[in-house]
Amino acid sequence: MKKLIPAAIAAAAALAALAETNETESAAAELPRVVVEASRTGKTPAEMPSAVQVVTRGEIAASGARDLADLLQKKSVSLDFAHLGANNPALTQLAPRGYGENGFGRLLVMVDGERLNSPDMNAPNLSQVSLGSIERVEILQGSQNVLHGDVGSAGMINIVTTSEDYDTHGHVEVHGGSWNTIGASASYRGGSEESGTRWWANGGWDHSDGYRHDSGFDIYSAGGGVRQDFEGGSYVRLSAFWSDADSELPGYLSKEQWRHNAKDSDGYGDFYRRTTYGVNATAFGVINDENSIRLTQTLSRRHLKSRGYGYWYTDFDIYSYAITPEWINTARIAGFDNELIVGATFRYDRNDAANWGTSSYGYSHSKYEYDRQTMGFYAQDTFKLTDQVSIEVGGRYERSWNKCTMANDPRRTYDLAAYDAALLFAPIDGLKTYFKFSDFYRMPFIDEVAFNSRDDLLSPERGWRVDAGFDWSFLEEFNLAANAFVSRTKDEIFYDSLFPYSSFGWTYYGDNVNSPSPVMREGFDLRAAWERDKVAGVAIAYSYVNAEFDGGEYDGNDVPMAAESVVSASAKVWLWDDCFVFGGYRFRSECFSTSDFANEYEKVPSCGLFNAGVQYSPKFWDLDGLVVTFAVDNLFDKDYCDYTTYGRCYWPAAGRSWMLTVRYEF
């Protein structure tokens, strides 16, 4: 594998050289002028020295996806998925490729400036935003620590639902399909260019009885906001959001139960409900042609209530507040274009938690509080040496104060730093090549901090990563992209289900531990795509990651739940101007089960899934704006799992399903 990384980098350089020799014939090709909000400074994908994928509103509508989790699985090979609730998007976990069962802790997920990531070990709720309300999705690979702080040590997904123009438009949608799955969504947005006011509102509802017994769900979401623009480019923006996801928990099955009937449940009748609401506010002021300031604030509350094993109840209230002031300077230096952003982040997270239940051990009850206060300062500068070459450097310092009322050592302070440096070379329009080095960190979740189990608290993860690659759009219809990387992480946090600890005279098993040895990851992503409007399109992608322990007891062993290979292919063919058929395939190779650090238990089996569908947009009579989509996932009803523990506990993913969607856009 070590020979493949330089080979991939060499391939990128070779293609860049080839592109330079064909500059004349491909000069007309340009990447779409889509601004990536995750860049914080309004850069396009072509201006960012990293692997960036933007999924537009049109691509979302044509994907046949049921929800956000399904969209990401169909569109990106750089992510891994675990469907712990079968077809329930609220229980779907995603992580950067090469990470294990808690890999969601290294992927920052944001919606209009609000973190979906919880400060505790609950995975981001991907059902919090309805698919019909999304304007675009930005997928960024590599560390995002410098600009966004903790959590995004391996990547970021940024979701945009806000209005981007003054035009009045909207949609209404109803859908229904397998397992009594029904739902609806609507959005409406518009504004007045004369007064400089924009506004938007959206909402959605989904219900399903679930693929498995006791796996049904009801999901509600709503959001909206207003933005007031002023002369010179200044603006004020205020938005609010609300989501309620009520889910049944079917639990795991043994291998024999899974093979006999994957729709079974463990019979406990457990549930999980997560309610989230909050507000975001942004004020952006233009001082002069070279200087501007921005102030962003977010305030949210998450209420989580669940029952496990039929008797164990939990009730969490998580409060979060963050304020981020920034200064942006675009002054030219010695005749060269320059863009500097300097900012600070002050964040407070609090978790008021309670557990109680009656079991064979008797009745138990616990109540505790976690507090985390974080202060960080960062700066990033992009310096353009020429129109084709730019250098980007940045750094961040962060201090975190932690308090856990049940910890043996109730207080802990972390001092953390991250930095990166990158080179971007864009020899012709439509082509960028890049090289980036990142030093990153991740703090433990507030409930990963040990309590009543051992004296030593968890250490933060630290590591470095090198990325190199290219993205080339040419001849208006073609796109080629590749990204190769190598990374090393120290003190990576895993959940070890066999780790023994004592509490109140009893011996228990299962705890979060720092890895006794560093973890090495190396891999690459390749993508090729072609599309001609109203004719056909095809895309194929391949992702390879080798993730293993570097030293210690498990030296050379694979990281659990880190599949080596993912292959994705999709195509669509227009039957006539108003109708096209589409289909796709995704394959994931086998991997070791959760917590199997010794690599001695049964692996999670490999699986390959097909999907297909048709979309019709009639233009006759008064039907312009109507879109009808029929899609089938897991076309051949593959019985598969993408999450197991020690080869003994299996969480079946959904079998074949269909969905009919009727959408009207106006």
Side-chain angles (χ1 to χ4, degrees), residues 255-269:
K255 183 178 181 181
E256 291 72 22
Q257 289 173 316
W258 166 45
R259 290 303 189 190
H260 178 70
N261 185 1
K263 293 186 177 182
D264 277 349
S265 75
D266 60 17
Y268 291 123

Side-chain angles (χ1 to χ4, degrees), residues 398-416:
E398 197 159 85
R399 167 165 278 201
S400 172
W401 294 268
N402 300 265
K403 179 183 177 182
C404 173
T405 57
M406 288 191 69
N408 293 327
D409 182 2
R411 299 179 184 273
R412 183 74 177 263
T413 301
Y414 299 126
D415 286 287
L416 301 164

Side-chain angles (χ1 to χ4, degrees), residues 73 81-84 86 211-212 251-259 261-264 561 563 588-593 603-609 634 637-645 647-655:
Q73 185 161 335
F81 296 82
H83 296 87
L84 277 74
Y211 168 69
R212 299 176 60 194
Y252 62 81
L253 302 176
S254 68
K255 183 178 181 181
E256 291 72 22
Q257 289 173 316
W258 166 45
R259 290 303 189 190
N261 185 1
K263 293 186 177 182
D264 277 349
M561 294 303 301
R588 192 189 79 160
S589 64
E590 64 182 9
C591 60
F592 288 99
S593 297
K603 291 184 176 181
V604 182
S606 62
C607 61
L609 306 176
N634 197 353
D637 200 22
K638 177 73 174 178
D639 186 6
Y640 78 103
C641 289
D642 48 24
Y643 192 93
T644 78
T645 301
R648 296 194 298 257
C649 305
Y650 289 76
W651 279 263

Side-chain angles (χ1 to χ4, degrees), residues 453 496 498-502 507-510:
S453 62
D496 187 349
L498 296 184
F499 187 89
Y501 66 91
S502 298
T507 298
Y508 299 93
Y509 293 91

Side-chain angles (χ1 to χ4, degrees), residues 533-557:
D533 190 34
K534 302 297 184 180
V535 177
V538 62
I540 185 168
Y542 174 67
S543 174
Y544 177 90
V545 178
N546 182 42
E548 61 182 34
F549 295 97
D550 184 24
E553 178 183 358
Y554 304 123
D555 184 33
N557 287 5

